[in-house]
Amino acid sequence: MSVPYKIEASEQLLLGGTQGEQQPRASDKIPIIARPFVSDRAKKTLDIVEKFVEEECIPADTIYARQVGEGVVNRFSAHPPILEDLKKRAQELGLWNMFLPKNHFKEGAGFSNLEYGLMAEYLGKSHTASEATNCAAPDTGNMEVFAKYGTQEQKEKWLKPLLAGKIRSAFLMTEPDVASSDATNIELSIKKEGNEYVLNGSKWWSSGAGDPRCKIYIVMGKSDPNNSSVYKQQSVIFVPAETPGITIKRMLSVYGFDDAPHGHGHLTFENVRVPVENICLGEGRGFEVIQGRLGPGRIHHAMRSIGAAEKALEYFLARMNDPRKKPFGKQLHEHGVMLERAARSRIEIDASRLQVLNAAIMIDSKDAKFALKEIAEAKVLVPEMALTVIDRAIQAYGGAGVSQDTPLANMWAHGRTMRIVDGPDEVHLIQLGRNENKKGKYLLQKIEWQKAKSEEMGRSYGLEKRDVLQLDRQHSKSKL
């Protein structure tokens, strides 16, 4: 069990090799337009990721859920032993911290955004795989903040144990009393008093805050409410989770799922005092920090969502070929509507993957700011696609699809949150629409110029301006 996989040319997944046709490996399924950007090392690692997820993490998911236990207090105090076993196994296989892109950070495993994106798709098929490889949100984005903006002292104190998988973290931005989709509305107060900042306010949807291993919060608040620029009123500060004055009031459910022990917390801050050296970059630079954090994270979410869609399609196809299920005397694959749904699912998944990989390549070529349009397109497109594919699978399973007997209901619930987290669809669509509309005046002028040019060309050939279907038929007046 402690020996790393040695994947030979003829070897495949254990499940795929038990019977039936040999299935292609993950590296064989890389879209051809992306292959030139993927190293041989990344291809080998991708195959190991696939094998680890399919043969170890997915079977472990149900064990993890059982080990979390029952009851609110117990569930949010649990640390399933199987997770630590998976983490140890992942490290033995060299599957650790793959998310930090090599062209921006020295602390990662040396892969590009594109290469990790391909791996993240497989991680998205399992509940435990991302954390097992230390590639779970929100820690991934938080580690990027520390690596990109943190001081050496902050890196030693928080980044180092996060990279080692010893602690977890949370990102606190959203608030219950304002429209947090517009981050300028954030109200949590950050006031400087001597050599400390004093924080007062509340946060919710603080993912990860329920886990006892969560030791550090990255908090966005308002430090200069009177600044003439609404984008310089906010700051980001690092707050140790055990600081006096912080109360985790309750955990929030996602369509009834509590996501314990990780969870999504509703927290209050009452005169919470934090040393001034915990400020990130400096006062008034909160927007700079969060924009730097959210770009790559949206790609990670998108690729994991594609993995979830692939898993849903797998469940759909399995149901279609289950000989025990014969509505109206036929298996589901004998009903044309089901074949059409399977085909559409394949088309939509493959198209969405290309969109996300294109965004990843754009980021790798420069940075996330360079790929804002492509990231936004993926952020909107992929969750809608995943929800559609998962819904088709649920429909095929009928009552079982909405129950705990398959992972589909849980997958749909979490997929639905992807249309809200890291900026709701509407925010991205409005910005995309505005940018598209900037072309409008030029395009109007171009089309009018083309019409005029066509008329000029017609005259040069002795042609009058005339509609190709012009008839000019007149009926003669009847004679009295």
Side-chain angles (χ1 to χ4, degrees):
M1 189 67 180
S2 62
V3 179
Y5 298 131
K6 293 181 179 179
I7 301 181
E8 304 296 340
S10 61
E11 186 179 351
Q12 61 180 73
L13 290 175
L14 290 178
L15 293 178
T18 55
Q19 58 182 345
E21 296 181 3
Q22 183 171 346
Q23 300 300 308
R25 290 194 210 141
S27 59
D28 298 324
K29 294 181 282 187
I30 299 172
I32 195 165
I33 62 172
R35 289 180 189 176
F37 303 96
V38 183
S39 68
D40 289 340
R41 173 174 172 260
K43 291 175 184 176
K44 291 178 181 177
T45 303
L46 180 62
D47 288 336
I48 296 173
V49 168
E50 178 190 31
K51 193 173 177 67
F52 177 61
V53 170
E54 296 285 0
E55 296 181 4
E56 302 195 40
C57 293
I58 291 177
D61 286 346
T62 54
I63 308 303
Y64 176 90
R66 290 166 62 185
Q67 288 181 343
V68 169
E70 299 178 357
V72 175
V73 174
N74 289 336
R75 288 176 64 77
F76 287 99
S77 302
H79 183 49
I82 197 167
L83 184 59
E84 289 302 318
D85 291 338
L86 288 172
K87 288 165 68 174
K88 180 181 178 181
R89 180 66 173 139
Q91 288 178 294
E92 291 172 348
L93 295 170
L95 306 180
W96 198 256
N97 293 334
M98 297 96 72
F99 67 94
L100 283 168
K102 61 184 179 182
N103 59 336
H104 295 131
F105 302 101
K106 65 181 186 298
E107 295 90 350
F111 298 111
S112 66
N113 280 292
L114 170 66
E115 291 168 341
Y116 172 64
L118 293 165
M119 299 172 197
E121 175 179 335
Y122 289 92
L123 300 181
K125 297 176 75 173
S126 164
H127 184 76
T128 56
S130 290
E131 188 174 353
T133 56
N134 213 41
C135 292
D139 295 331
T140 48
N142 293 343
M143 284 189 266
E144 288 195 13
V145 169
F146 283 117
K148 189 173 184 179
Y149 304 116
T151 65
Q152 191 57 43
E153 182 182 355
Q154 291 166 347
K155 290 179 180 180
E156 283 291 323
K157 196 170 185 178
W158 295 302
L159 178 59
K160 192 173 181 179
L162 280 168
L163 287 170
K166 301 297 184 183
I167 66 171
R168 298 211 64 186
S169 60
F171 181 64
L172 280 58
M173 178 177 168
T174 305
E175 297 181 3
D177 299 323
V178 298
S180 301
S181 57
D182 177 358
T184 63
N185 289 329
I186 296 302
E187 290 184 338
L188 182 135
S189 171
I190 301 177
K191 293 183 178 179
K192 190 174 183 180
E193 291 185 5
N195 62 352
E196 294 178 319
Y197 286 103
V198 182
L199 282 61
N200 283 281
S202 62
K203 296 288 184 181
W204 73 344
W205 292 107
S206 304
S207 298
D211 195 325
R213 295 170 298 149
C214 181
K215 300 301 182 184
I216 184 67
Y217 301 148
I218 297 180
V219 183
M220 185 178 185
K222 190 162 287 187
S223 56
D224 187 6
N226 298 318
N227 194 299
S228 59
S229 172
V230 294
Y231 298 105
K232 294 183 179 180
Q233 296 177 357
Q234 296 79 15
S235 297
V236 167
I237 191 167
F238 305 131
V239 183
E242 296 177 357
T243 305
I246 299 175
T247 301
I248 302 177
K249 292 183 63 177
R250 58 177 179 150
M251 303 307 294
L252 304 165
S253 67
V254 178
Y255 287 98
F257 297 101
D258 65 7
D259 292 338
H262 178 72
H264 313 280
H266 181 182
L267 288 71
T268 58
F269 288 69
E270 186 175 354
N271 295 322
V272 175
R273 293 184 172 272
V274 183
V276 292
E277 57 265 26
N278 284 21
I279 200 77
C280 182
L281 279 186
E283 289 187 24
R285 300 182 70 177
F287 266 87
E288 181 181 348
V289 175
I290 64 170
Q291 287 302 321
R293 179 189 185 277
L294 292 177
R298 289 169 177 145
I299 293 298
H300 301 167
H301 277 315
M303 287 305 289
R304 284 191 294 266
S305 295
I306 289 173
E310 282 283 7
K311 184 173 182 177
L313 181 54
E314 291 175 0
Y315 266 76
F316 185 14
L317 295 173
R319 182 71 165 196
M320 285 172 60
N321 289 275
D322 187 342
R324 300 169 300 171
K325 305 294 182 178
K326 291 185 177 181
F328 306 103
K330 296 180 180 179
Q331 286 187 247
L332 288 181
H333 73 263
E334 297 178 279
H335 293 273
V337 65
M338 292 299 181
L339 292 174
E340 179 187 349
R341 289 174 183 175
R344 289 189 180 279
S345 296
R346 172 48 58 210
I347 292 168
E348 291 157 6
I349 291 172
D350 287 354
S352 297
R353 180 185 294 108
L354 293 178
Q355 173 64 52
V356 182
L357 296 182
N358 178 61
I361 292 171
M362 291 285 287
I363 298 174
D364 287 333
S365 68
K366 197 170 183 180
D367 55 31
K369 189 174 182 180
F370 182 64
L372 285 178
K373 178 175 77 73
E374 290 74 16
I375 293 171
E377 289 169 347
K379 173 64 175 67
V380 173
L381 175 66
V382 174
E384 289 186 351
M385 174 280 298
L387 287 171
T388 299
V389 173
I390 295 169
D391 185 72
R392 289 177 184 140
I394 289 173
Q395 193 71 9
Y397 277 83
V402 296
S403 76
Q404 70 271 33
D405 285 358
T406 77
L408 296 171
N410 184 271
M411 289 161 59
W412 191 93
H414 287 85
R416 184 60 183 83
T417 68
M418 291 299 104
R419 294 191 57 206
I420 300 172
V421 300
D422 291 352
D425 286 3
E426 291 80 1
V427 171
H428 298 286
L429 288 168
I430 289 171
Q431 191 59 50
L432 284 168
R434 284 173 178 166
N435 289 334
E436 281 298 300
N437 192 53
K438 289 176 182 177
K439 307 172 188 175
K441 186 176 180 180
Y442 159 73
L443 292 173
L444 178 61
Q445 293 173 343
K446 184 184 83 169
I447 291 169
E448 292 301 323
W449 179 89
Q450 289 170 337
K451 289 179 180 178
K453 182 69 174 180
S454 178
E455 291 180 22
E456 180 184 335
M457 291 174 68
R459 289 192 296 269
S460 71
Y461 284 94
L463 298 174
E464 296 181 6
K465 181 180 179 182
R466 182 181 178 85
D467 192 290
V468 294
L469 295 179
Q470 193 164 334
L471 191 59
D472 293 335
R473 176 186 292 167
Q474 295 183 347
H475 295 280
S476 59
K477 295 181 179 179
S478 60
K479 295 180 180 180
L480 296 176

